[in-house]
Amino acid sequence: MRLRVNMLSSYMMTKKQDESLLEDVWTLLRAGRLEEACSLCRSAGQSWRAATLSPFGRFDQFPSMEALVRNGKNRTLQAIELESGIGHQWRLWKWACYSASERIADQDGGKYEAAVYAAQCSNLKRILPTCMDWESACWAMAKSWLDFQVDVELA
């Protein structure tokens, strides 16, 4: 029984540390400091999380042909992006972020983790609960509007 309690408290401490990391990542993303957010994730031993924040290699937020070539992506990936239409991979990534933000929030995974992924796809429903002041809420709504405009233009 005591071992079970120790394992549970160890898990809770890890969960608290994870939530603290995600709060810092959230703050950096809101400030437009994606590169620093990714570096923070990697320094915390969560390279996978850094990769989910910058999916197209380094800090390119859109999978352009130039970005794919510059980041050493192979010709197959370049061909897929060209054949499926520019922005297809972008929309797929945004859908994955939306799905992650919804699932994390539904499973009480932590408000900052849900907000980090929601910010990547402008899911206001999951971003706004972390906005504790009007400036944060204004940023979330403006970002959502801008992302929508970009998506409309790409479509």
Side-chain angles (χ1 to χ4, degrees):
M1 182 70 164
R2 185 176 195 113
L3 178 60
R4 180 178 259 173
V5 171
N6 287 341
M7 287 174 59
L8 182 58
S9 66
S10 173
Y11 170 74
M12 296 302 281
M13 186 171 205
T14 302
K15 189 172 181 179
K16 286 180 183 178
Q17 290 171 338
D18 200 42
E19 189 67 11
S20 178
L21 170 69
L22 288 161
E23 183 176 1
D24 291 343
V25 168
W26 166 248
T27 301
L28 290 168
L29 288 177
R30 276 197 42 239
R33 295 163 56 184
L34 175 63
E35 187 173 345
E36 290 175 57
C38 291
S39 294
L40 180 62
C41 290
R42 281 191 290 278
S43 69
Q46 295 189 4
S47 295
W48 62 270
R49 193 180 304 276
T52 64
L53 297 177
S54 185
F56 303 111
R58 297 198 186 127
F59 304 105
D60 295 305
Q61 284 296 295
F62 193 78
S64 66
M65 288 300 109
E66 296 81 21
L68 292 171
V69 170
R70 183 175 52 251
N71 295 325
K73 302 300 180 191
N74 65 29
R75 293 226 182 261
T76 303
L77 185 57
Q78 294 172 33
I80 290 170
E81 182 64 13
L82 280 174
E83 289 175 6
S84 61
I86 298 296
H88 177 75
Q89 299 297 316
W90 170 257
R91 289 187 299 274
L92 183 59
W93 174 69
K94 287 183 81 167
W95 171 81
C97 288
Y98 176 82
S99 297
S101 69
E102 287 294 315
R103 181 158 300 192
I104 291 163
D106 289 345
Q107 296 176 350
D108 295 324
K111 70 178 185 178
Y112 289 107
E113 185 172 23
V116 163
Y117 290 105
Q120 303 302 315
C121 63
S122 296
N123 181 358
L124 275 176
K125 178 181 173 184
R126 301 305 180 187
I127 296 173
L128 288 176
T130 61
C131 298
M132 297 300 146
D133 55 22
W134 71 269
E135 292 165 326
S136 298
C138 186
W139 168 84
M141 288 185 254
K143 182 184 183 324
S144 178
W145 176 82
L146 179 62
D147 283 354
F148 177 77
Q149 295 301 318
V150 169
D151 290 343
V152 166
E153 193 64 31
L154 290 174

